[in-house]
Amino acid sequence: MALLAYLKSLFILQLLMGFVFVVSGLIINFIQLCTCILWPINRQLYRRINCRLSYSLWSQLVMLLEWWSGTECTLYTDQATVDKFGKEHVIIILNHNFEIDFLCGWTMCERYGILGSSKVLAKHELLKVPLIGWTWYFLEIVFCKRKWEEDRNTVFKGLDRLKDYPEYMWFLLYCEGTRFTEKKHQISMQVAESKGLPKLKYHLLPRTKGFTTTLQCLKGTVTAVYDVTLNFKDNQTPTLLGIVNGKKYKADMSVRRFSVEDIPDDEQECANWLHKLYQEKDALQEMYNKEGKFPGPTIIPPRRPWTLLNFLFWATLLLSPLINFACGVAVSGSPLLIIGFILFLIVASIAIRRLIGVTEVKKTGSSYGDQEAKKQN
């Protein structure tokens, strides 16, 4: 075990995995670009192909969580809810406290066969991120600038296009709008006090416009809302860098299903419903902090081998020529080739670290309610 942990910590292995992810991602993005010719001819075929292409990329990150780090994910829910997973269009409401909360969501998507068609209401800045933003663009992800006056038409058009999506999709919403930090929480609770809303201990005040708009636009397509509250055993603070280093975490996810028919149609009543939901999420977090678990039965969905097999396919395809090239450079004795190859490794390592940096709490999040941050921006 000590040897395995040591191997996982080796930078050269992490760099090779990063190389596989980046190069395979660029290949996938190029293929996605080529599929654009299908859009005016057969939109549903375009979508089905891109679902599988995106799966091939995202499953490499899920592989890191499930097989490389060995992180365990336990669901706290009933069997009747689990039986509907992957068999209906739904909106997912997830708390936004951890760097890898999206990855835990993706592993559940993968285990129930909908990773490639998972959606999110994403901030516009992510569109500029190579691989991630580009893949999401071809997947018809809805990007917003979090300024409703500018986003209104974009969001309505983007959501309207998804009404006839051919694959079952889980549409993820971070209703808090940004990751939880103590400073943001303090500001958020000041906003709650000014609006006469109950204060929350473990969440930021939900921003209701995105939820009410998504529910309104996708009504008739989406049949349920899944409320997911994520936490980690032993007060762990997981990071993507920890996952890359092979560190194992234990994730617990409380999942509650609400039928769309039981959620009010009126926008204000729907917003009130969401505020009440977050008060219940806060109570769940309080219970978890005291008892170390969520209420209800537990279900541990088994890992599937496809994420590992997909990574091995890309690794075999891409690492063989890279290793042959590296050996050729080494035996050539050419200082120019050797220096060039070293520079390539340096650039690659910096690029991979920048991609990891996108997930870091201190580098992400909006300045919602923070007047000082807005002035700086």
Side-chain angles (χ1 to χ4, degrees):
M1 292 298 292
L3 176 60
L4 184 59
Y6 171 72
L7 291 174
K8 290 179 178 180
S9 68
L10 289 177
F11 175 73
I12 186 62
L13 288 182
Q14 297 171 7
L15 185 60
L16 290 175
M17 288 194 301
F19 172 82
V20 171
F21 177 74
V22 170
V23 177
S24 66
L26 292 174
I27 294 172
I28 288 169
N29 286 161
F30 176 74
I31 298 173
Q32 287 180 308
L33 181 62
C34 294
T35 64
C36 288
I37 62 174
L38 293 173
W39 181 263
I41 303 170
N42 191 330
R43 182 179 301 185
Q44 302 298 48
L45 178 60
Y46 165 89
R47 286 168 162 171
R48 293 184 188 278
I49 292 174
N50 275 278
C51 282
R52 281 140 189 85
L53 289 171
S54 68
Y55 174 87
S56 189
L57 183 61
W58 302 145
S59 65
Q60 294 182 52
L61 297 178
V62 173
M63 185 280 298
L64 284 177
L65 184 80
E66 295 184 335
W67 296 96
W68 183 257
S69 81
T71 291
E72 300 172 357
C73 294
T74 301
L75 299 180
Y76 287 76
T77 190
D78 58 273
Q79 188 61 48
T81 297
V82 171
D83 289 341
K84 294 182 180 295
F85 285 179
K87 299 175 182 177
E88 59 181 347
H89 297 292
V90 299
I91 294 173
I92 305 286
I93 296 176
L94 179 63
N95 56 315
H96 206 7
N97 297 59
F98 307 100
E99 287 185 12
I100 66 166
D101 45 29
F102 75 97
L103 204 48
C104 292
W106 275 357
T107 192
M108 288 299 107
C109 289
E110 200 288 322
R111 294 183 191 193
Y112 291 99
I114 53 172
L115 176 59
S117 58
S118 59
K119 308 294 180 188
V120 65
L121 190 63
K123 59 184 180 180
H124 193 266
E125 292 86 346
L126 290 175
L127 182 58
K128 303 173 184 177
V129 178
L131 306 184
I132 297 173
W134 299 347
T135 302
W136 274 351
Y137 175 81
F138 293 113
L139 271 179
E140 302 170 74
I141 294 298
V142 181
F143 293 95
C144 59
K145 299 178 180 178
R146 293 190 274 199
K147 296 178 181 179
W148 184 241
E149 295 75 16
E150 299 180 26
D151 290 331
R152 181 189 297 272
N153 291 334
T154 302
V155 171
F156 273 103
K157 288 180 181 178
L159 292 172
D160 189 64
R161 279 200 306 266
L162 297 177
K163 285 183 177 180
D164 64 343
Y165 209 78
E167 306 270 341
Y168 287 121
M169 61 178 175
W170 284 3
F171 196 104
L172 173 63
L173 287 178
Y174 289 118
C175 293
E176 294 165 89
T178 182
R179 278 201 179 97
F180 183 99
T181 66
E182 289 300 329
K183 181 179 180 181
K184 293 173 187 174
H185 179 251
Q186 184 180 13
I187 295 169
S188 181
M189 291 308 97
Q190 291 172 357
V191 175
E193 186 176 7
S194 68
K195 294 184 177 181
L197 296 169
K199 291 186 177 182
L200 305 172
K201 291 178 65 176
Y202 306 103
H203 298 83
L204 306 180
L205 194 67
R207 302 169 69 175
T208 60
K209 180 61 74 173
F211 174 72
T212 58
T213 301
T214 302
L215 191 61
Q216 175 190 348
C217 290
L218 295 181
K219 210 153 196 178
T221 300
V222 166
T223 57
V225 172
Y226 294 170
D227 170 49
V228 182
T229 305
L230 170 68
N231 221 320
F232 289 85
K233 293 287 189 187
D234 305 319
N235 293 318
Q236 292 174 309
T237 305
T239 64
L240 185 55
L241 194 57
I243 294 294
V244 171
N245 287 325
K247 186 172 182 180
K248 182 177 181 178
Y249 302 105
K250 294 182 179 180
D252 288 336
M253 305 174 76
S254 170
V255 183
R256 300 183 296 162
R257 181 184 184 276
F258 298 91
S259 173
V260 167
E261 297 175 355
D262 297 329
I263 301 174
D265 289 325
D266 179 77
E267 183 175 356
Q268 185 55 53
E269 291 182 8
C270 185
N272 293 338
W273 181 90
L274 184 64
H275 282 298
K276 183 175 181 294
L277 183 76
Y278 266 79
Q279 294 165 34
E280 294 172 359
K281 288 172 75 71
D282 227 44
L284 281 172
Q285 283 282 27
E286 181 77 21
M287 182 180 298
Y288 190 92
N289 289 347
K290 291 180 179 179
E291 302 182 10
K293 62 180 182 179
F294 291 115
T298 60
I299 297 174
I300 303 178
R303 293 182 300 183
R304 306 196 309 169
W306 311 120
T307 57
L308 183 60
L309 293 174
N310 175 72
F311 176 78
L312 291 176
F313 163 76
W314 283 111
T316 302
L317 182 67
L318 298 174
L319 290 183
S320 296
L322 176 68
I323 292 172
N324 289 336
F325 177 74
C327 291
V329 170
V331 299
S332 70
S334 169
L336 187 61
L337 279 177
I338 294 173
I339 292 173
F341 188 69
I342 292 174
L343 288 175
F344 166 76
L345 293 178
I346 293 173
V347 171
S349 63
I350 293 173
I352 292 166
R353 186 63 187 85
R354 292 287 293 273
L355 281 175
I356 293 175
V358 172
T359 70
E360 294 179 354
V361 171
K362 64 183 179 180
K363 294 183 181 180
T364 58
S366 73
S367 57
Y368 176 61
D370 189 346
Q371 300 301 323
E372 182 180 344
K374 288 180 179 180
K375 290 177 181 178
Q376 292 175 354
N377 292 337

